[in-house]
């Protein structure tokens, strides 16, 4: 695993030398991802596009119609995955309300929302993730512990109707890590209420492509060492995996990566840094330029049936949904039959090929994955759809669950993709030679 030398500087050891250990070192109780908040210029339209493209119905809102004069926020939900879209209202609306001393003068449902921060965020990044929210046992304690261990505070704990506490820490760039905890004993985040101040929206149209939860939220940073040390330092999270450009057998990937995880590996927050001096510019460097700094690179969403999810998403690609990266060449799937025949049936491998799904394995299980193209104007944030196969465990009460990170993060696909593209190009070259010989 990565080590810190005498000066406290973090050093990558690479995938082959990395030894996975779980010291259960969380500094405070961390349960699971709670939601992801995007800041956008117009929340109505952005939320509807994601709803249509990902099969996530609108389930709650906080806007002018509910008495919120500060920001419009719309919540989409599919299983345990929650996406929140927020945009500001004119400051004159809230100012007028305050002058008239109406009871809603401070009506923001997300009280950490800050118009000035929004304006500079939006100008610098375009459509981007502002907050990765995690449910913790006690947000006040999580905040105090984090700050005591070097975290840069963004917002101290705020009570929402005495039932929910939220607090925010700077994670990287302009992204915050938001702690959410419920005062109600035995409250489960799978319960229907999102946050006080939000009103439920009745279902108008059944929409579900099988997406169930957030698996990992990846950040791109200019320098991995300080970013990893910082986040590890205040959370106590451990290193779940790491890989370097050399590990993946090609310098083309242009990135180094470290995955940080909480005690039960349910909150996975990988970070990437660019590698310089390669033939092609690192994709991470491209991101950092277009995003004007560090930020969330991709969100990996777990599907309970990736084939169904992909069929539904691909049907909508050209009509307001999300487009996907080009599918690998046929040689990739020919090689796949040697790599994955023990896990996937012939029919499933055929379906992977039809839908352009990539397959990777680690020492524990299998990962099916596919990436969208960047989802907004800039070549920055994108979405990954995954399904993990294997690693089923039983908890103390005999309920089965899947081990976090089962099947890895797709490291093997870097080299498999490059290999298959090379092989494919050779078949094209061979074909050209045959064709020119026959002319
Ligand atoms: Fe990923």
């Amino acid at each position: 695993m990565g080590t810190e030398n005498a000066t406290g500087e973090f050093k990558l050891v690479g995938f082959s030398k990395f030894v996975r250990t779980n010291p259960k070192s969380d500094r405070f109780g961390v349960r699971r991802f709670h939601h992801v908040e995007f800041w956008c210029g117009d929340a109505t339209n952005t939320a509807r596009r994601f709803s249509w493209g990902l099969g996530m119905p609108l389930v709650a809102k906080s806007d002018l119609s509910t008495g919120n004069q500060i920001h419009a926020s719309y919540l989409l939900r599919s299983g345990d995955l929650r996406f929140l879209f927020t945009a500001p209202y004119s400051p004159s609306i809230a100012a007028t309300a305050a002058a008239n001393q109406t009871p809603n003068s401070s009506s923001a449902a997300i009280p950490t929302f800050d118009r000035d921060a929004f304006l500079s965020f939006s100008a610098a990044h375009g459509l981007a993730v502002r907050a990765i929210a995690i449910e913790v046992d006690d947000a006040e304690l999580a905040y105090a512990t984090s700050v005591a261990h070097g975290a840069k505070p963004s917002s101290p704990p705020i009570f929402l109707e005495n039932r929910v506490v939220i607090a925010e820490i700077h994670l990287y760039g302009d992204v915050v890590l938001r702690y959410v905890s419920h005062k109600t004993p035995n409250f489960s985040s799978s319960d229907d209420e999102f946050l006080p101040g939000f009103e439920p929206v009745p279902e108008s149209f059944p929409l579900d492509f099988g997406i169930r939860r957030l698996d990992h939220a990846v950040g791109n940073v200019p320098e991995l060492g300080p970013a990893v040390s910082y986040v590890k330092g205040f959370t106590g999270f451990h290193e779940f995996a790491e890989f370097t450009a050399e590990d993946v057998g090609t310098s083309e990937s242009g990135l180094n990566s470290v995955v940080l995880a909480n005690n039960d590996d349910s909150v996975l927050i990988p970070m990437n840094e660019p590698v310089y001096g390669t033939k092609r510019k690192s994709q991470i460097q491209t991101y950092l330029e277009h995003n004007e700094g560090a930020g969330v690179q991709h969100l990996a969403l777990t599907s309970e049936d990736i084939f169904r999810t992909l069929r539904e998403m691909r049907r909508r690609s050209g009509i307001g949904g999300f487009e996907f990266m080009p599918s690998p060449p046929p040689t990739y799937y020919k090689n796949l039959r040697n790599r994955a025949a023990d896990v996937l049936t012939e029919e499933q491998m055929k379906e992977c090929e039809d839908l352009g799904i990539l397959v990777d394995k680690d020492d524990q299980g299998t990962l099916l994955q596919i990436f969208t193209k960047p989802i907004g104007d800039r070549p920055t944030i994108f979405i990954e759809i995954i399904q993990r196969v294997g690693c089923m465990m039983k908890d103390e009460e005999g309920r089965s669950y899947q081990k976090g990170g089962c099947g890895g993060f797709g490291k093997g696909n870097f080299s498999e993709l490059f290999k298959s593209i090379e092989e494919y190009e050779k078949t094209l070259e061979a074909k050209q030679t045959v064709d020119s010989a026959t002319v």
Side-chain angles (χ1 to χ4, degrees), residues 50-57 78 205-212 303-316 385:
F50 278 71
S51 174
W52 169 245
L54 292 168
M56 297 179 70
S78 185
F205 184 78
L207 202 53
D208 181 9
F209 304 167
I211 292 172
R212 290 295 169 261
S303 168
E304 63 175 20
D305 179 355
I306 196 170
F307 300 138
R308 175 175 142 222
T309 305
L310 261 291
R311 280 194 298 269
E312 295 292 344
M313 285 184 72
R314 280 198 181 277
R315 282 175 61 198
R316 289 158 178 81
I385 306 291

Side-chain angles (χ1 to χ4, degrees), residues 222-242:
E223 249 194 296
L224 209 41
V228 169
S229 299
Y230 168 67
V231 178
K232 264 180 87 172
F234 73 80
T235 57
F237 286 6
H238 62 281
E239 281 168 61
F240 184 84
E242 66 176 58

Side-chain angles (χ1 to χ4, degrees), residues 236-291:
F237 286 6
H238 62 281
E239 281 168 61
F240 184 84
E242 66 176 58
F243 64 85
T244 63
E246 294 87 56
D247 287 325
V248 297
T250 165
S251 54
E252 295 272 349
S253 67
L255 61 90
N256 295 323
S257 189
V258 169
V259 182
L260 293 183
N262 66 328
N263 279 0
D264 65 8
D265 298 330
S266 60
V267 173
L268 300 167
I269 45 172
M271 284 177 270
N272 301 321
E273 71 174 357
V275 169
Y276 302 98
T278 50
K279 207 164 61 188
R280 283 219 320 260
K281 187 158 84 176
S282 165
Q283 51 156 310
I284 310 303
Q285 184 57 25
T286 303
Y287 174 102
L288 294 172
E289 287 168 11
H290 283 272
N291 192 61

Side-chain angles (χ1 to χ4, degrees), residues 308-433:
R308 175 175 142 222
T309 305
L310 261 291
R311 280 194 298 269
E312 295 292 344
M313 285 184 72
R314 280 198 181 277
R315 282 175 61 198
R316 289 158 178 81
S317 286
I319 44 168
F322 295 97
E323 290 184 74
F324 290 88
M325 295 303 280
S327 296
T331 39
Y332 176 90
Y333 292 99
K334 234 173 91 193
N335 297 338
L336 176 65
R337 283 168 170 82
N338 304 325
R339 291 196 292 127
D342 55 332
V343 187
L344 300 176
T345 64
E346 178 58 32
E347 198 186 326
Q348 287 170 325
M349 284 190 277
K350 173 85 177 51
E351 200 139 22
C352 286
E353 182 165 9
D354 290 347
L355 294 165
I357 293 166
L358 307 174
V359 183
D360 195 23
K361 280 176 164 182
D362 71 357
D363 52 327
Q364 304 186 65
T366 302
L367 171 77
L368 308 186
Q369 65 175 173
I370 188 165
F371 300 101
T372 69
K373 287 184 176 169
I375 56 180
D377 301 326
R378 307 184 190 197
T380 52
I381 184 171
F382 58 90
I383 285 172
E384 176 184 7
I385 306 291
I386 69 168
Q387 187 170 3
R388 299 187 180 278
V389 183
C391 325
M392 294 312 291
M393 316 283 284
K394 283 230 157 54
D395 68 12
E396 287 135 24
E397 280 140 41
R399 286 174 304 210
S400 68
Y401 70 97
Q402 189 173 43
K403 243 171 114 179
C406 172
F409 297 85
K411 175 191 78 76
N413 272 322
F414 281 103
S415 48
E416 277 303 320
L417 277 174
F418 284 111
K419 197 172 90 185
S420 65
I421 290 166
E422 242 173 71
E423 285 171 4
Y424 183 63
E425 281 170 358
K426 276 185 202 151
T427 66
L428 292 182
E429 283 162 24
K431 192 169 181 307
Q432 274 169 9
T433 317

Side-chain angles (χ1 to χ4, degrees), residues 140-162:
E140 281 179 283
L141 181 69
Y143 177 86
T145 308
S146 299
V147 172
H149 290 91
K152 287 173 253 169
S154 179
S155 168
I158 300 176
F159 282 71
L160 309 175
E161 292 182 8
N162 227 5

Side-chain angles (χ1 to χ4, degrees), residues 20-89:
R20 183 179 294 165
T21 54
N22 186 348
K24 307 258 177 188
S25 47
D26 290 359
R27 294 198 189 279
F28 44 87
V30 175
R31 300 185 179 180
R32 56 185 78 82
F33 284 120
H34 189 271
H35 67 274
V36 173
E37 184 180 34
F38 293 80
W39 271 0
C40 40
D42 187 277
T44 299
N45 284 282
T46 314
R48 284 177 190 218
R49 194 273 177 117
F50 278 71
S51 174
W52 169 245
L54 292 168
M56 297 179 70
L58 173 70
V59 295
K61 64 177 180 178
S62 178
D63 62 5
L64 286 175
S65 75
T66 69
N68 186 339
Q69 286 140 344
I70 312 292
H71 61 84
S73 282
Y74 300 101
L75 181 75
L76 307 183
R77 179 168 179 183
S78 185
D80 290 334
L81 177 69
R82 296 188 188 88
F83 277 175
L84 184 64
F85 297 87
T86 294
Y89 286 126

